[in-house]
Structures are given as C-alpha cells and as structure tokens.
Amino acid sequence: MIVSSLSPIALIGGGDMDQGDLAAALAHAECVVAADGGADKALAAGIMPEVVIGDFDSLSARARREIPQERLHRIDEQDSTDFDKALRHIEAPLILGVGFLGARLDHQLAACNTLVRHAEARVILTSRDSIVLLAPPSIVLDLTPGTVVSLFPLGAVEGVSDGLEWPIAGLSFYPDGVIGTSNRALGPVEMSFTAPKMLLILPAECLNRVIEALGRTASHW
C-alpha cells in the first residue's frame, strides 16, 4: 500500500468539482490524496496533497514542480483509470472521492465500474447534487420521508427493503433489465443485497447520514 490510514481519506480526482464538494469531504477526512490531475485541483484549492497516484498523463508541470517528489507515485500502465490505480494502493476505513462525477459521462461510468471492481473498499463519490456508493450487504439509513433513493445494478443482484415506497423484494436486478431509479423513502430505510453489484445513489445532502450508517455497518464485501 502507498497510503495506509486508520481514518477516512479524501481522494481528489481531476473532474468537475466545487469548493462545497471538497469542503464536505474534508469535514470528515484529514488526509488528502490526489489521483493524477486531481493534484492540480487540490493545489488550486490551496491544498498540498500528501500523496499523488497515477500515470501522470494529466499532471501539470506546475504540480510536478511544487509537490515534493517523494509524494509522487507514478504507475506506468494504461489498462486502468487513475481512480482504479488509487484504490489499489489505499487502505482506509472510508474514502471520500471528489472530482470523479464530472461532466463527462464516460468518466462517470468508469468511476462506477471501479466501485464495483473494488468491492472490498468503502468509497463514497460525491458531487454537487448526488452521492454514489456500492451498497454494502446491509445498511440502515435514517432518511427523511420523500428522499429519492435510486438503485442501479452493475450486475445480477437481488435485495430486500423496508421503508421504501416501492419495496424491492422479489425483484431480480440487471443492468439491461430491472433497475430501481427514483424510489422514495417513507422514513428510515433498511436494505440488504445478495451481491456487491448495486449502486446506491442519494441526494448530496445525505452524505453525513450515509457516513453514519456505514460506521454502524460492520459487514462489507
């Protein structure tokens, strides 16, 4: 591992983000790691990343000059994204990813794919409007009635729920079949899933409640 931490880590990517996104992550994480060009985003926000991981194809000359060389960890392979490279080399109880849900749809899809491929990691991707995470085997969320709860499978998966307007028990989810967009919470929601294939998408204002829920959840994939 390049980074090993007993506390949450903020991981900054090179995609779109604003100060609110970053501030929300930094409220829960003291250590800042950058994925390649995310280092430039960190510097622009006045933050010196403790570690930079990536193939450095999008790292600026300025960042190479200003960031101490011992903090730069170059991984020369093009078969994975910088987000993937970072997750492979970070060990932490929670990773808050900022700048991975930007304007480019292909980057967003790649980030979601990486969440599923690294089911052993606890990662929450944040943006101005939404948060995305791989649903753990079970989770209990203290949500207010009317909160939009979207479920999107990236593989075959089933589940059960309590507290959703449209329960999911008995449904077989597939990326090219049944999905669970725009369900709604009736109040606190409890869900369990059969495989690490379901993305859970919630409004950005639910970040603190999701972090609290994950802290109460002992099981992970």
Side-chain angles (χ1 to χ4, degrees):
M1 291 295 162
I2 294 173
V3 180
S4 183
S5 174
L6 296 177
S7 58
I9 284 177
L11 178 62
I12 301 179
D16 291 346
M17 68 176 191
D18 61 26
Q19 291 301 313
D21 300 339
L22 186 55
L26 293 179
H28 300 278
E30 296 179 1
C31 177
V32 175
V33 177
D36 208 328
D40 288 281
K41 297 284 188 178
L43 292 175
I47 297 171
M48 175 62 70
E50 296 188 30
V51 173
V52 183
I53 301 171
D55 55 27
F56 295 176
D57 62 350
S58 58
L59 188 66
S60 72
R62 175 206 170 192
R64 295 170 192 259
R65 289 193 306 269
E66 295 187 7
I67 299 173
Q69 290 300 303
E70 64 271 16
R71 300 189 181 195
L72 302 178
H73 295 265
R74 182 168 179 168
I75 301 174
D76 288 316
E77 56 101 338
Q78 295 294 320
D79 294 330
S80 63
T81 65
D82 292 310
F83 181 37
D84 184 282
K85 293 180 180 70
L87 289 192
R88 294 202 315 258
H89 294 91
I90 294 175
E91 185 177 58
L94 178 65
I95 299 170
L96 296 163
V98 184
F100 296 98
L101 299 176
R104 284 185 55 176
L105 178 59
D106 57 340
H107 285 176
Q108 294 184 55
L109 291 173
C112 291
N113 172 271
T114 300
L115 289 179
V116 175
R117 292 173 58 234
H118 289 276
E120 75 286 352
R122 279 188 171 172
V123 185
I124 303 174
L125 298 183
T126 72
S127 71
R128 183 182 300 107
D129 301 316
S130 304
I131 60 173
V132 181
L133 66 150
L134 180 68
S138 62
I139 189 169
V140 179
L141 293 164
D142 183 17
L143 301 179
T144 57
T147 300
V148 175
V149 180
S150 287
L151 300 170
F152 195 94
L154 287 188
V157 58
E158 297 179 357
V160 294
S161 66
D162 183 39
L164 289 177
E165 184 169 348
W166 295 282
I168 64 173
L171 299 177
S172 296
F173 292 91
Y174 298 92
D176 60 347
V178 176
I179 60 175
T181 303
S182 297
N183 208 324
R184 284 195 294 268
L186 300 175
V189 171
E190 182 173 359
M191 294 177 287
S192 298
F193 300 95
T194 58
K197 301 294 182 181
M198 185 69 84
L199 296 180
L200 173 58
I201 305 168
L202 294 162
E205 59 265 25
C206 295
L207 177 61
N208 291 345
R209 296 186 182 191
V210 171
I211 292 174
E212 291 171 0
L214 292 178
R216 297 190 301 266
T217 302
S219 60
H220 59 280
W221 300 109

